[in-house]
Amino acid sequence: MFTLFPGMFGGVLGESIIGRAMAHDRLEVRLHNFREHATDRHHTVDDYPYGGGPGMVLKPESLFTAVEAALGTPPSCPVILLTPQGKPFQQKDAERLAQFPAFALLCGHYGGVDERIRQHLATEELSIGDYVLTGGELAAMVVMDAVARLIPGVLGSEESPASDSHTTGLLQYPLYTRPPEFRGWSVPEVLLSGNHQAIARWRRRQALLRTREKRPDLLVKADLTEEDRRFLNEQEP
Ligand code: ADE
């Protein structure tokens, strides 16, 4: 992570699954405050935009120097700039990035970054959604978290990502745990039946119905079997 606000990452890196993975050396996240690479007396990292206009622009020097000091020239791994202009981040990007031994996340702040950072330092740009955050840090944490949980050993064996929403191209089926009845709402009978084949069929069908209801855009792209299609056709949309 290359950021001006490394303190923002403390909670995320210290708690829960990510905290456990870091403590067990299954995941390493290095925080680089690139302000430390600014060479002027005030450690300036931003400046007014050429041509005028509102907002400040992140200067290129200290970010380039920080990245090159850590990763070499040119950097030996993907260098990802978080920006609302980036490609929308999706599960398949997380799967792709999880294959690299390392990658760098660059967090911009202020009104935007000098264009030379995009063109000559970043190897790709990612956005976590069509809204504007105050900086790239929260977006970088989202990307880091989504990738980290795909790295072998980060999730426990009981936290397998195989049936996650998006991994299969469908939303996840409904989950229930004890008690079997809560405030008069009971767990679907099939889940208590012990019939694994029936449970698997029910889950697949629920995932199909739920995806059609909540995210019809995903269903269009999903890998459906003949049986899936027949089932959906039989159901009222
Ligand atoms: N920086 C500011 N907004 C962002 C977004 N939506 N995605 C990624 N980086 C950002």
Side-chain angles (χ1 to χ4, degrees):
M1 305 277 186
F2 293 83
T3 171
L4 295 170
F5 304 100
M8 286 180 72
F9 293 84
V12 170
L13 298 178
E15 301 279 342
S16 186
I17 292 173
I18 301 299
R20 182 185 70 194
M22 300 263 294
H24 293 174
D25 294 325
R26 294 183 176 142
L27 174 71
E28 187 184 2
V29 180
R30 295 189 195 154
L31 297 173
H32 303 270
N33 184 347
F34 56 91
R35 189 184 293 280
E36 292 166 5
H37 289 262
T39 50
D40 66 311
R41 204 151 56 90
H42 299 292
H43 296 287
T44 313
V45 288
D46 61 334
D47 206 339
Y48 297 100
Y50 274 121
M56 298 295 274
V57 178
L58 194 68
K59 290 161 63 59
E61 302 93 317
S62 57
L63 188 53
F64 267 80
T65 330
V67 170
E68 288 168 355
L71 304 170
T73 315
S76 48
C77 64
V79 177
I80 300 159
L81 177 67
L82 284 313
T83 158
Q85 298 187 17
K87 181 162 100 47
F89 178 62
Q90 300 197 324
Q91 188 64 24
K92 62 176 160 36
D93 297 300
E95 287 161 9
R96 172 173 58 84
L97 291 172
Q99 304 304 312
F100 288 97
F103 59 90
L105 296 169
L106 312 185
C107 307
H109 241 269
Y110 311 108
V113 305
D114 186 285
E115 189 62 20
R116 289 161 290 190
I117 294 171
R118 295 180 193 289
Q119 290 186 342
H120 305 295
L121 186 59
T123 57
E124 63 183 288
E125 298 174 39
L126 291 177
S127 163
I128 62 158
D130 291 343
Y131 40 81
V132 181
L133 304 166
T134 55
E137 282 77 8
L138 286 169
M141 288 185 230
V142 166
V143 171
M144 182 278 297
D145 186 282
V147 175
R149 62 190 290 289
L150 300 177
I151 296 170
V154 168
L155 292 187
S157 55
E158 292 180 356
E159 302 159 332
S160 157
S163 66
D164 289 340
S165 292
H166 301 296
T167 301
T168 59
L170 298 176
L171 300 184
Q172 195 182 32
Y173 49 76
L175 295 168
Y176 291 87
T177 185
R178 281 178 284 198
E181 186 174 318
F182 170 68
R183 297 191 176 177
W185 301 307
S186 22
V187 173
E189 205 59 51
V190 58
L191 296 178
L192 310 175
S193 69
N195 181 339
H196 296 294
Q197 207 185 332
I199 291 171
R201 185 174 346 109
W202 181 84
R203 286 181 164 167
R204 178 76 187 175
R205 292 177 166 190
Q206 289 294 316
L208 290 165
L209 291 176
R210 172 164 287 214
T211 307
R212 179 165 69 185
E213 183 190 327
K214 298 191 193 186
R215 291 293 305 275
D217 58 309
L218 294 180
L219 201 57
V220 177
K221 290 178 281 180
D223 201 4
L224 300 186
T225 65
E226 263 315 304
E227 145 113 49
D228 291 338
R229 289 181 201 287
R230 207 173 318 122
F231 170 72
L232 282 170
N233 286 336
E234 285 164 11
Q235 305 296 309
E236 289 290 315

